[in-house]
Amino acid sequence: MSQPPTPAPMHPHQSAPPTQQEPSAPEQKQSMSERTRATITWAVVGTMLIAAAFAALGALNRDVYGAGAFVGNYLSKLQEKDAASALRIPGVALDKPELKAAGLPETSSNALLRKAVLPEITELAQLEDVDEGDGVHAVTWSFESNGTYGESTFLVKREGTRFPLIPTWTFEQSPLAVVNLAIDHASVFSANGFDLDTRSISGQTAPSFDNIVNVQVFTPGEYVFESTSEFVSSEPESVLVDVPSRVHEAAVTAEPTEDLVAAAQEAVNAELDACAEQKVLQPTGCPFGIVVDDRIQGDPIWSFEDYPEISLEAGTDSWVIPTVTGDAHLRADVQSLFDGTITRYDEDVPFSMIGNAYVMSDGTVEVTIAEDGNSER
């Protein structure tokens, strides 16, 4: 059996191969300290990043997704005259039960909730956002509408949350308001230049002389109402709607235009001409006539050289023609009952009359006339 080889003797000057030595205790402590510092540093950085993320999210929720921003989005839709988008914002549009629950007339019309009626809104600025509790915020914004400064406070409520932790809102109290509009002496009116007929709102088929309609409007804004047409005109009535879910009052009073007076005058003249066609001394339903004790030979002939000049005043349910005087000319042959002689009657017969004028649904003007029984003439 062979023997294992014997290792060669080491030369006196040859070093032993190096062996790995364990670090000393101070070196181990220093390495652990560095790892600890790195862990702490990263923990602090992570905490700061998380805190910054939550701070950014909080600022985002406040400035972009907060109650004030929710109201600001609604106001921007009004400023852009985007009525349709404004109505789609949660809590804005109201049906009849919701109108009643809000203390508003449930029959109020939404005919003015449209682009053409929206007023000019500028200088929007949020003034405050007050947490009322239970998720409700009272948000106040200032504005200018047609140069008029105003402030409006809106109640909104947190509705829920969407990812990532972003709140959603709805109007706790609708920003809509109602204008109770009285329109005297006309059935047509305009709101911020948009023309409407009260019949389209009330459902009536015939025009009424005096009307009251309730119309919904957006808050805020200045609304200008007037009644101006071919036959009537009014002074504009401005209403600053700055309080949501409130009934605001407005009234316009229409006065007759020269065109209406001219149309009524023409109608009166036609009525008098129709009376004059009756070949009798006392035309039926007419304001003039005469009583003659003698016998009339042939047909009496009535005519007008001049017509009485009328004016118009507002009455209870129509335009009133106040007492006016005139002369109807009569030509007739009169035979004396005493001696049978015939004389020609060719004279003016004075009369006084009153009347009413009506603007019909087809735009025509009709009148009724009658003798003024209270006149001394």
Side-chain angles (χ1 to χ4, degrees), residues 155-233:
L155 293 181
V156 300
K157 185 175 184 177
R158 185 161 179 171
E159 191 175 35
T161 302
R162 66 174 183 265
F163 181 84
L165 301 180
I166 294 175
T168 58
W169 301 88
T170 183
F171 279 100
E172 173 75 355
Q173 179 189 61
S174 172
L176 298 182
V178 169
V179 175
N180 182 58
L181 176 63
I183 307 162
D184 296 332
H185 317 153
S187 60
V188 294
F189 72 98
S190 66
N192 286 348
F194 182 76
D195 295 328
L196 284 163
D197 192 309
T198 57
R199 288 170 292 179
S200 65
I201 295 174
S202 65
Q204 295 177 339
T205 57
S208 298
F209 193 61
D210 291 326
N211 299 272
I212 295 179
V213 293
N214 289 304
V215 287
Q216 300 172 43
V217 293
F218 290 103
T219 306
E222 184 178 57
Y223 293 85
V224 181
F225 299 95
E226 57 185 322
S227 180
T228 301
S229 66
E230 178 185 4
F231 291 141
V232 296
S233 66

Side-chain angles (χ1 to χ4, degrees), residues 185-305:
H185 317 153
S187 60
V188 294
F189 72 98
S190 66
N192 286 348
F194 182 76
D195 295 328
L196 284 163
D197 192 309
T198 57
R199 288 170 292 179
S200 65
I201 295 174
S202 65
Q204 295 177 339
T205 57
S208 298
F209 193 61
D210 291 326
N211 299 272
I212 295 179
V213 293
N214 289 304
V215 287
Q216 300 172 43
V217 293
F218 290 103
T219 306
E222 184 178 57
Y223 293 85
V224 181
F225 299 95
E226 57 185 322
S227 180
T228 301
S229 66
E230 178 185 4
F231 291 141
V232 296
S233 66
S234 72
E235 293 295 326
E237 170 87 343
S238 297
V239 180
L240 183 65
V241 177
D242 55 357
V243 180
S245 294
R246 173 179 292 184
V247 177
H248 301 259
E249 303 291 335
V252 294
T253 301
E255 299 296 339
T257 63
E258 292 181 0
D259 287 341
L260 178 56
V261 176
Q265 180 73 65
E266 184 177 348
V268 166
N269 297 351
E271 286 292 311
L272 292 174
D273 287 340
C275 286
E277 292 176 359
Q278 300 184 40
K279 306 300 183 180
V280 293
L281 292 179
Q282 294 179 312
T284 303
C286 299
F288 59 86
I290 191 172
V291 176
V292 177
D293 293 332
D294 294 322
R295 181 181 293 114
I296 298 297
Q297 293 292 318
D299 292 331
I301 299 175
W302 293 98
S303 64
F304 287 91
E305 182 176 348

Side-chain angles (χ1 to χ4, degrees), residues 308-346:
E309 186 175 344
I310 69 165
S311 60
L312 294 177
E313 296 178 354
T316 303
D317 57 6
S318 70
W319 295 107
V320 171
I321 301 172
T323 299
V324 61
T325 59
D327 295 296
H329 191 81
L330 175 62
R331 287 191 298 127
D333 291 331
V334 181
Q335 184 179 29
S336 172
L337 295 177
F338 177 72
D339 58 11
T341 58
I342 297 176
T343 58
R344 170 59 64 90
Y345 188 95
D346 193 356

Side-chain angles (χ1 to χ4, degrees), residues 71-80 120-127 140-145 149-150 152 154 219-221:
V71 175
N73 177 55
Y74 160 77
L75 294 174
S76 69
K77 300 303 181 186
L78 300 187
Q79 192 174 45
E80 296 164 3
E120 295 293 332
I121 298 178
T122 57
E123 307 300 325
L124 287 170
Q126 183 178 332
L127 300 182
T140 302
W141 281 70
S142 64
F143 64 93
E144 285 190 13
S145 183
Y149 176 85
S152 293
F154 304 90
T219 306

